[in-house]
Amino acid sequence: MYAVVRTGSKQYRVRVGDIIEVEKLPVEPGQEVTLEDVLLVERDGTVTVGQPVVPGARVVARVLDQVKGPKLIVFKMKPKTRYRRKTGHRQRYTRLQVEAIEIGAAS
């Protein structure tokens, strides 16, 4: 059984027990998060595709940690004019562990 969920304008294929990193959510570690935007659910070979979401379906996950991604260097330069700008960026992520994929009676 797996599901495709949307969070942070990205889509993730998840199974029970998977650990995924999504864009930062305002939740403390140890709490549960319910992802309501379930786009597709597969159970016992039967695929249910939502239009745009599957009614009554949700994914329950537990927040493991708030982490930072790798450092990215942004370097701007214009030749012959002595213009140089160097900045960095680290994206913040929330690490989730999927605990359950629930399907309501409507699907």
Side-chain angles (χ1 to χ4, degrees), residues 47-64:
V47 177
T48 305
V49 180
Q51 298 178 11
V53 296
V54 178
R58 64 189 192 138
V59 173
V60 178
R62 182 162 305 280
V63 177
L64 298 178

Side-chain angles (χ1 to χ4, degrees), residues 32-44:
E32 280 192 352
V33 174
T34 302
L35 304 173
E36 301 286 338
D37 287 347
V38 180
L39 305 176
L40 180 141
V41 176
E42 185 276 334
R43 179 173 55 175
D44 301 328

Side-chain angles (χ1 to χ4, degrees), residues 14-32:
V14 296
R15 293 178 182 268
V16 175
D18 282 356
I19 296 175
I20 59 172
E21 288 184 355
V22 300
E23 289 191 14
K24 187 174 181 193
L25 300 173
V27 182
E28 295 295 320
Q31 292 183 337
E32 280 192 352

